[in-house]
Amino acid sequence: MESPSTASPTDRDKAANSSVRMGTASLPAGTDPSAPRSPASRTLIDIEHLDFFYGQTQALNDISLKIQDHKVTAFIGPSGCGKSTLLRCFNRMNDLIDGTRVPRGTIKIHGVDIYQPDVDVIELRKRVGMVFQKSNPFPKSIYENITYGLRLHGKTEKSKLDEIVEKSLRGAALWDEVKDRLHANGLGLSGGQQQRLCIARAIAVEPEVILMDEPCSALDPVATAKIEELIQELRSRFSIVIVTHNMQQAARVSDRTAFFYLGRLIEYADTRDIFTNPANPQTEAYVSGRFG
Amino acid sequence: MNPPQHPFSVRPGAVHHREQPVFWLFRVATYFILACGAAVFLNIVVKGAGTVFKTEAPFINTTFLTEAPESLYIFEWEGKKMEMGDREFRAFKEQNPAAAKVKAESFVYSAGGIWPCIVGTVLLVVGSMTIALALGVCAAIYLNEYARDGAFIRFVRLAILNLAGVPSIVFGLFGFGMFVIFFGWNVSLLAGWFTLAFMVLPVVITASEESLKAVPKGFREGSLALGATKWQTIRKNVLPYALPGILTSSILGIARVAGETAPIMFTAAYVVRDKLPWEVEQLGDFFFQGVMALPYHIYVVSSKIPQNEYTERVQYGTAFVFLVIVALIATVSILLRNRLRNRYRW
Ligand SMILES: Nc1ncnc2c1ncn2[C@@H]1O[C@H](COP(=O)(O)OP(=O)(O)O)[C@@H](O)[C@H]1O
Ligand SMILES: [Mg+2]
């Protein structure tokens, strides 16, 4: 397992600088990279006593969790335990569903509570990208898929866009496969390529965090392996939170793992500990495949 | 009877006996409808073609397509039976003073052509479809994308659906009361546009909503997750994909708007009007003038004037031209729709 400190300082600086560039009034930019930091524990997303409701049904119950910067964090747990719900809180995608509410608790990103009314959701979502379970390339060309987010935010200069398209596709390990057909429809790609296109689309706007909700659940083993490799490459530039059903996957790609059960956080620790030496008997039962 | 040879051999029974008659019932019903449709269509084409086409060059009866309706005069002249339109007859009388006293039979609207009606119908269709699409798509976007699904919105939807079943004469009277009298627009293009638009709006709204619903939720979520606003998402990543479906529904609307007589007879249609719509003094007058229209003209020449062999020519000719025009507008819309559809596919 790659250790977190392998993220080189230059890469970190790049990510931090990019967030300064996309600066916003309501969310402070990443902490100054030159400031001293304790390598293992810089908190990016700080969740405290979070409750979440779909109408009358409570989906999350008193979740407290610190997600660390430039690490891969995996959420595991049986179906319906609230992994996706929590993930979708981080970019407030749950706002789109009628009747959802967060009656108690806070989610802070860089110390700012993102559920405060003065937070601009648009700005938040630029900083917190998302890759969905069901790959959803837009029915436009590959090129237009990548530039979609950039155009929204006012980047229209052709040469700049070309450059970002190439960089993003390389970043998503897709460039070599599609460089000759950038103007072909994104839906003509295979399932795995489509999902990598969605990743490329997300990284094109240079977010700080990428949320992935079971990105491989619809893919075959070869495509899955490619995405996992890709996550290994992305980890140096982005913080990644990945929901997965597949425990081997969590073990392979993540630094930290959180185990959820029935809307509660049962255990959160280094991935190695969760899989080899879980503190909680429920976690032990789940990772050893006795339920779930 | 022989015992069955193998497990799958046919065992005669009631279910098998019913198969054939049922098959024939469906088949006969389908062909019966087809035959009725074909009979009407062929009748109009065959009889109408006699008016619209000619046996000698240029083979098309340009008078019928490019002139206004006139009265037809029929009289005997030097032993020959003459047929002349109003203007032609007057010129003839000036040339031959002796003809002034000739006893001529006159038949209204049986000479000349239907050009003002063609122009009027095209104007009515284009204007009302523009209004209906603009209003209908806005309403559909509101209902499908913005409004929270609650009892009230469900009631609004139900009301819109019911509106689709309201007879067109009721829309005509509504337009008359609302636009012609209350708004003081008089009998005018504008009043006709809005009346017709209101008539097809339920269809346009319902179909637009269906088309919007058919756009996968993932496209919206993907766009919003990239930091798009709701309107950016709708404009760039929902509406373009829904447009082919919306246009398909409006093609049906076109046929209805072009064909209805009741909504325009109080609001927009004139029995006869000398001026063409663009012969107005200022641009503003354009919207406040009545027009002639094909369906109303058919109504007038088939039920408001004495019938004879000469009016029949006009009736069939007008109906034929009418069918061709509706087909033309629909074809253009279908081509446009197909182009859009090929651009976005998922
Ligand atoms: N849109 C929704 N409306 C109502 N309840 C929902 C909705 N989405 C999820 N839930 C409920 O919330 C709980 C957690 O769901 P989810 O976060 O999707 O679980 P997971 O991703 O861990 O499988 C489940 O009980 C589910 O039924
Ligand atoms: Mg899920």
Side-chain angles (χ1 to χ4, degrees), chain B residues 196-212:
Chain B
L196 289 170
F198 274 60
M199 184 188 72
V200 287
L201 257 175
V203 180
V204 173
I205 294 176
T206 312
S208 303
E209 234 195 309
E210 292 302 319
S211 312
L212 288 170

Side-chain angles (χ1 to χ4, degrees), chain A residues 69-116:
Chain A
D69 203 5
H70 285 88
K71 295 265 180 80
V72 179
T73 306
F75 288 179
I76 60 169
S79 238
C81 68
K83 307 178 296 288
S84 301
T85 304
L86 180 59
L87 198 73
R88 291 164 61 94
C89 283
F90 299 160
N91 62 350
R92 288 185 49 180
M93 285 304 275
N94 286 326
D95 291 12
L96 306 180
I97 302 167
D98 283 347
T100 57
R101 60 209 162 84
V102 180
R104 194 170 73 96
T106 56
I107 298 178
K108 289 183 178 155
I109 297 184
H110 291 309
V112 176
D113 182 355
I114 58 167
Y115 274 86
Q116 284 308 303

Side-chain angles (χ1 to χ4, degrees), chain B:
Chain B
M1 213 199 280
N2 292 338
Q5 260 88 48
H6 57 81
F8 303 122
S9 58
V10 176
R11 263 163 278 209
V15 257
H16 287 97
H17 287 311
R18 236 175 274 136
E19 205 56 9
Q20 277 297 316
V22 165
F23 165 71
W24 275 101
L25 174 71
F26 292 145
R27 176 177 244 189
V28 166
T30 309
Y31 286 121
F32 175 69
I33 296 165
L34 209 63
C36 292
V40 172
F41 189 73
L42 285 178
N43 187 23
I44 291 174
V45 169
V46 169
K47 294 199 184 158
T51 311
V52 177
F53 300 109
K54 294 192 296 193
T55 41
E56 71 264 32
F59 301 111
I60 288 180
N61 185 348
T62 43
T63 314
F64 187 68
L65 293 179
T66 59
E67 307 247 314
E70 293 178 359
S71 295
L72 177 70
Y73 289 89
I74 298 195
F75 55 93
E76 291 236 355
W77 183 253
E78 293 169 351
K80 268 193 293 178
K81 192 174 162 219
M82 307 287 276
E83 288 185 21
M84 282 184 194
D86 187 26
R87 275 175 300 164
E88 199 186 347
F89 184 46
R90 262 183 276 156
F92 182 79
K93 280 194 285 195
E94 266 170 33
Q95 275 183 358
N96 310 284
K101 292 188 297 290
V102 84
K103 223 170 105 53
E105 260 188 297
S106 78
F107 302 94
V108 277
Y109 305 143
S110 299
I114 53 168
W115 176 234
C117 311
I118 297 175
V119 169
T121 287
V122 170
L123 280 177
L124 283 171
V125 169
V126 171
S128 57
M129 284 316 292
T130 309
I131 295 171
L133 276 175
L135 283 177
V137 171
C138 287
I141 288 178
Y142 174 71
L143 288 174
N144 196 53
E145 309 286 330
Y146 286 95
R148 276 172 182 243
D149 222 11
F152 178 68
I153 291 299
R154 275 202 298 279
F155 171 76
V156 169
R157 272 206 193 98
L158 196 69
I160 290 172
L161 274 179
N162 280 325
L163 221 50
V166 171
S168 57
I169 185 75
V170 176
F171 279 103
L173 288 171
F174 162 76
F176 180 67
M178 182 88 166
F179 304 120
V180 178
I181 297 191
F182 185 69
F183 287 179
W185 292 349
N186 296 322
V187 172
S188 62
L189 262 183
L190 203 59
W193 283 346
F194 274 93
T195 309
L196 289 170
F198 274 60
M199 184 188 72
V200 287
L201 257 175
V203 180
V204 173
I205 294 176
T206 312
S208 303
E209 234 195 309
E210 292 302 319
S211 312
L212 288 170
K213 271 206 187 78
V215 176
K217 224 172 85 197
F219 295 170
R220 294 182 181 81
E221 288 193 329
S223 168
L224 291 165
L226 286 168
T229 62
K230 196 158 187 166
W231 172 232
Q232 282 173 324
T233 299
I234 293 170
R235 191 162 41 104
K236 298 191 169 179
N237 218 23
V238 177
L239 209 47
Y241 317 140
L243 223 45
I246 295 174
L247 285 181
T248 307
S249 76
S250 57
I251 292 166
L252 296 175
I254 288 171
R256 215 173 149 214
V257 162
E260 284 284 358
T261 314
I264 55 170
M265 60 193 217
F266 309 122
T267 58
Y270 279 172
V271 175
V272 64
R273 186 162 185 266
D274 297 334
K275 282 185 182 160
L276 284 165
W278 45 81
E279 293 168 357
V280 287
E281 276 160 26
Q282 356 152 252
L283 191 64
D285 295 345
F286 179 80
F287 300 100
F288 295 101
Q289 60 178 340
V291 289
M292 295 183 73
L294 286 167
Y296 191 56
H297 192 63
I298 294 174
Y299 166 69
V300 170
V301 294
S302 9
S303 65
K304 285 290 165 194
I305 56 173
Q307 299 298 296
N308 51 59
E309 68 209 275
Y310 305 108
T311 48
E312 196 185 271
R313 291 197 311 218
V314 182
Q315 288 159 19
Y316 278 103
T318 313
F320 178 63
V321 171
F322 181 40
L323 283 184
V324 170
I325 285 181
V326 171
L328 270 180
I329 300 179
T331 310
V332 171
S333 318
I334 289 172
L335 290 178
L336 182 72
R337 193 246 344 240
N338 289 354
R339 271 190 57 171
L340 284 171
R341 192 153 50 183
N342 289 338
R343 216 157 93 208
Y344 301 112
R345 221 183 252 285
W346 68 84

Side-chain angles (χ1 to χ4, degrees), chain A residues 83-84 133 213-214 243:
Chain A
K83 307 178 296 288
S84 301
Q133 179 167 5
D213 192 350
E214 303 197 27
V243 170

Side-chain angles (χ1 to χ4, degrees), chain A residues 6-58:
Chain A
T6 48
S8 76
T10 46
D11 282 334
R12 282 191 195 201
D13 292 354
K14 236 188 281 165
N17 282 339
S18 74
S19 58
V20 170
R21 236 189 0 261
M22 309 192 50
T24 151
S26 45
L27 285 172
T31 33
D32 181 3
S34 61
R37 55 172 180 256
S38 48
S41 64
R42 198 162 63 134
T43 301
L44 177 66
I45 306 178
D46 185 1
I47 306 135
E48 275 174 355
H49 303 295
L50 186 77
D51 283 354
F52 185 93
F53 284 80
Y54 289 106
Q56 293 308 307
T57 6
Q58 183 160 11

Side-chain angles (χ1 to χ4, degrees), chain A residues 122 125 136 138 140 148 153, chain B residues 218 223-224 226-227 236-237 241:
Chain A
I122 304 301
R125 289 182 188 151
N136 57 353
F138 305 145
K140 304 172 185 277
Y148 185 87
H153 310 135
Chain B
S223 168
L224 291 165
L226 286 168
K236 298 191 169 179
N237 218 23
Y241 317 140

Side-chain angles (χ1 to χ4, degrees), chain A residues 15-288:
Chain A
N17 282 339
S18 74
S19 58
V20 170
R21 236 189 0 261
M22 309 192 50
T24 151
S26 45
L27 285 172
T31 33
D32 181 3
S34 61
R37 55 172 180 256
S38 48
S41 64
R42 198 162 63 134
T43 301
L44 177 66
I45 306 178
D46 185 1
I47 306 135
E48 275 174 355
H49 303 295
L50 186 77
D51 283 354
F52 185 93
F53 284 80
Y54 289 106
Q56 293 308 307
T57 6
Q58 183 160 11
L60 297 176
N61 198 332
D62 196 28
I63 306 277
S64 293
L65 177 73
K66 290 187 198 316
I67 289 172
Q68 291 169 8
D69 203 5
H70 285 88
K71 295 265 180 80
V72 179
T73 306
F75 288 179
I76 60 169
S79 238
C81 68
K83 307 178 296 288
S84 301
T85 304
L86 180 59
L87 198 73
R88 291 164 61 94
C89 283
F90 299 160
N91 62 350
R92 288 185 49 180
M93 285 304 275
N94 286 326
D95 291 12
L96 306 180
I97 302 167
D98 283 347
T100 57
R101 60 209 162 84
V102 180
R104 194 170 73 96
T106 56
I107 298 178
K108 289 183 178 155
I109 297 184
H110 291 309
V112 176
D113 182 355
I114 58 167
Y115 274 86
Q116 284 308 303
D118 64 339
V119 167
D120 183 2
V121 187
I122 304 301
E123 202 58 47
L124 173 72
R125 289 182 188 151
K126 275 197 235 168
R127 301 275 207 97
V128 184
M130 187 162 214
V131 176
F132 295 82
Q133 179 167 5
K134 193 168 174 297
S135 69
N136 57 353
F138 305 145
K140 304 172 185 277
S141 72
I142 294 171
Y143 186 92
E144 286 171 307
N145 262 282
I146 308 281
T147 54
Y148 185 87
L150 300 163
R151 286 182 197 279
L152 289 176
H153 310 135
K155 282 208 182 81
T156 49
E157 201 191 321
K158 179 86 168 61
S159 59
K160 190 93 187 121
L161 290 180
D162 288 349
E163 189 186 311
I164 298 178
V165 166
E166 176 167 356
K167 194 172 134 213
S168 309
L169 285 171
R170 281 191 193 284
L174 193 59
W175 175 252
D176 291 331
E177 290 159 66
V178 302
K179 61 171 183 269
D180 301 323
R181 44 171 174 154
L182 290 178
H183 295 281
N185 196 320
L187 289 172
L189 298 174
S190 73
Q193 288 174 326
Q194 289 193 8
Q195 194 60 295
R196 277 180 282 145
L197 178 60
C198 293
I199 295 177
R201 189 174 70 191
I203 63 182
V205 295
E206 305 240 347
E208 283 177 71
V209 192
I210 302 176
L211 309 173
M212 299 188 179
D213 192 350
E214 303 197 27
C216 306
S217 64
L219 303 183
D220 62 69
V222 177
T224 301
K226 279 206 173 136
I227 303 257
E228 288 182 12
E229 268 171 44
L230 178 57
I231 292 171
Q232 297 296 359
E233 280 166 36
L234 294 175
R235 63 189 307 150
S236 61
R237 291 167 54 205
F238 305 97
S239 307
I240 295 172
V241 185
I242 179 170
V243 170
T244 174
H245 241 103
N246 178 331
M247 277 175 284
Q248 286 78 34
Q249 184 170 69
R252 281 193 297 264
V253 302
S254 70
D255 305 307
R256 303 271 291 168
T257 297
F259 171 61
F260 295 88
Y261 185 55
L262 298 179
R264 289 175 189 277
L265 175 65
I266 306 297
E267 191 170 349
Y268 178 46
D270 280 348
T271 300
R272 201 169 338 187
D273 294 337
I274 290 272
F275 285 96
T276 57
N277 187 19
N280 187 296
Q282 276 176 315
T283 316
E284 210 259 312
Y286 184 71
V287 299
S288 61

